[in-house]
Amino acid sequence: MKCRVCRAPGVIDIRRHNANFCADHFLRYCREQVARTIKEFDMAAPGDRLLVAVSGGKDSLALWDILLELGYDVDGLYVGLGIGDYSDVSGTYVQNFVSTFLEPRGERSTTTLTHIDLRSEYDYDVPTAADATGRAPCSACGLSKRHLFDKAAREGDYDVLVTGHNLDDEAAVLYGNVMKWQIDYLARQRPVLAAENGFPKKAKPLVRLSERETAAYCVLRGIDYQVEECPMAAGNRHLEYKHALAAAEEASPGMKQAFYFGYLRDAAELFEQSNDGAPDGAPALLACESCGSPTSGDTNGQPRCAFCRLSQRAAAAEPVPVELLQTRRR
Ligand code: AMP
Ligand code: FES
Ligand code: ZN
Ligand code: ZN
């Protein structure tokens, strides 16, 4: 197994590209894939300020590192979700990355990390919110994260909010949306969404890299990351879709990329057009009376966003540790 570029011994094979790489050329390959994606989808312009949401996992830490290597002006945002030890450990990996990778970078150490903690700043955590509202944990988690990401990007005046969703994530979400024919989601699954209605521009620059590649990137760069799955992920459909696609990819390398990029090339626009013609259209957005975020929801005629409704109910409830939530949900 020799590197496709320099013929030195290879350290990784990428079957869908029928290529092997040495460590150095693999790191360059990852950066080139990200640079190509940003350009192809017009994700960021020179001089833009980026905010990357970092979870402590391999994808978002690799992404932060790659964006800095590519010369972008990018800060990090970590949200402590209060999912027991899992969140504490994830936060430690983010902190370690900052102290071992960012601070020694000299002139580039101007990059900052914002840490938002749900329990100390909003008086709730994800397990308590799931319990208090009867929502699935991932739904309470996703709602909280989306709101805080948007708010941080707006308040920090960032041009783009970037996340570490990779090819496996996006192909699995697409697979789920197709299985259920979720036309409204299929109309919004491009890796870049323009800023609109007070929401920031959002981009997923890792969609050309698989999770095996982002893991290898971190190992070769010496970036330590959270390897555990979220304890509330068990039974999550997304994981089932990932397994189904992994089996298809194993039998036919390149299938996942063909599925996702084929959708972007040939189908995304059709779903966008059919959604534009929806008879009810999108409801007008108002400012949430409590936090000012754009919202279509209301409580007794007062505009009130889903985050404020969720966080208020959860903050009024007795804290529920993740272990207790798990026994209650069994
Ligand atoms: P997930 O939904 O856990 O697959 O994460 C998708 C992306 O969301 C990650 O790659 C990160 O960019 C971001 N993300 C997830 N969890 C957090 C978190 N706790 N704090 C900040 N960003 C996060
Ligand atoms: Fe759904 Fe963590 S809350 S995976
Ligand atoms: Zn090489
Ligand atoms: Zn609100």
Side-chain angles (χ1 to χ4, degrees):
M1 171 162 131
K2 292 206 167 107
C3 172
R4 173 159 94 178
V5 186
C6 69
R7 313 306 297 163
V11 296
I12 185 164
D13 65 316
I14 315 273
R15 285 177 68 205
R16 74 176 183 290
H17 295 312
N18 204 8
N20 304 317
F21 291 105
C22 68
D24 191 32
H25 284 116
F26 174 71
L27 296 176
R28 287 197 212 184
Y29 153 84
C30 292
R31 290 174 196 139
E32 281 162 15
Q33 293 296 312
V34 171
R36 175 179 169 189
T37 308
I38 293 176
K39 192 160 175 237
E40 181 179 2
F41 296 101
D42 208 3
M43 291 180 167
D48 274 357
R49 290 180 61 240
L50 276 50
L51 180 65
V52 60
V54 279
S55 63
K58 59 192 180 322
D59 304 305
S60 45
L61 289 179
L63 178 58
W64 198 356
D65 185 66
I66 291 173
L67 291 171
L68 286 168
E69 288 294 303
L70 291 174
Y72 283 98
D73 176 0
V74 52
D75 291 332
L77 168 67
Y78 171 71
V79 179
L81 300 162
I83 308 175
D85 291 348
Y86 171 77
S87 290
D88 297 340
V89 172
S90 302
T92 310
Y93 281 112
V94 175
Q95 270 308 337
N96 281 349
F97 176 79
V98 170
S99 49
T100 52
F101 275 80
L102 302 187
E103 283 160 7
R105 260 179 157 116
E107 85 278 11
R108 276 183 259 160
S109 67
T110 51
T111 180
T112 60
L113 170 70
T114 300
H115 182 153
I116 299 173
D117 186 70
L118 278 186
R119 179 50 74 190
S120 48
E121 291 175 47
Y122 292 91
D123 231 5
Y124 80 96
D125 50 51
V126 165
T128 306
D131 191 66
T133 60
R135 274 178 179 256
C138 295
S139 149
C141 181
L143 169 60
S144 305
K145 283 189 292 198
R146 276 193 303 277
H147 174 88
L148 295 170
F149 293 174
D150 290 347
K151 180 169 182 280
R154 201 167 45 239
E155 291 178 356
D157 211 14
Y158 288 95
D159 298 293
V160 196
L161 170 75
V162 294
T163 50
H165 295 90
N166 57 38
L167 175 60
D168 299 78
D169 294 322
E170 291 307 285
V173 171
L174 177 62
Y175 185 82
N177 288 341
V178 169
M179 294 298 265
K180 291 180 270 172
W181 290 117
Q182 302 262 32
I183 306 295
D184 43 346
Y185 291 148
L186 285 165
R188 288 183 60 79
Q189 225 204 299
R190 287 201 195 261
V192 63
L193 294 174
E196 60 173 359
N197 296 327
F199 293 107
K201 177 174 177 178
K202 294 178 187 168
K204 299 173 181 172
L206 290 185
V207 291
R208 282 192 178 278
L209 293 176
S210 71
E211 57 190 27
R212 177 170 167 266
E213 287 150 40
T214 58
Y217 182 91
C218 286
V219 171
L220 292 171
R221 286 284 286 163
I223 298 172
D224 286 334
Y225 59 87
Q226 168 67 284
V227 288
E228 298 298 327
E229 280 284 354
C230 170
M232 300 197 292
N236 180 332
R237 280 275 147 74
H238 187 67
L239 287 182
E240 290 169 23
Y241 299 145
K242 273 194 173 175
H243 292 150
L245 287 172
E249 179 76 15
E250 179 62 28
S252 174
M255 197 238 79
K256 224 179 302 186
Q257 183 156 343
F259 175 54
Y260 179 64
F261 282 87
Y263 152 81
L264 292 179
R265 190 187 58 237
D266 298 327
E269 197 178 344
L270 301 176
F271 290 112
E272 285 157 4
Q273 284 166 359
S274 80
N275 219 38
D276 279 351
D280 45 354
L285 296 182
L286 299 165
C288 169
E289 54 145 19
S290 179
C291 74
S293 298
T295 179
S296 58
D298 71 50
T299 309
N300 306 327
Q302 303 288 343
R304 198 152 179 73
C305 76
F307 175 83
C308 287
R309 282 179 276 158
L310 173 99
S311 56
Q312 254 189 7
R313 274 180 76 180
E318 222 16 65
V320 176
V322 60
E323 298 78 15
L324 178 59
L325 181 73
Q326 281 167 323
T327 55
R328 284 190 186 168
R329 289 178 61 82
R330 247 174 229 145

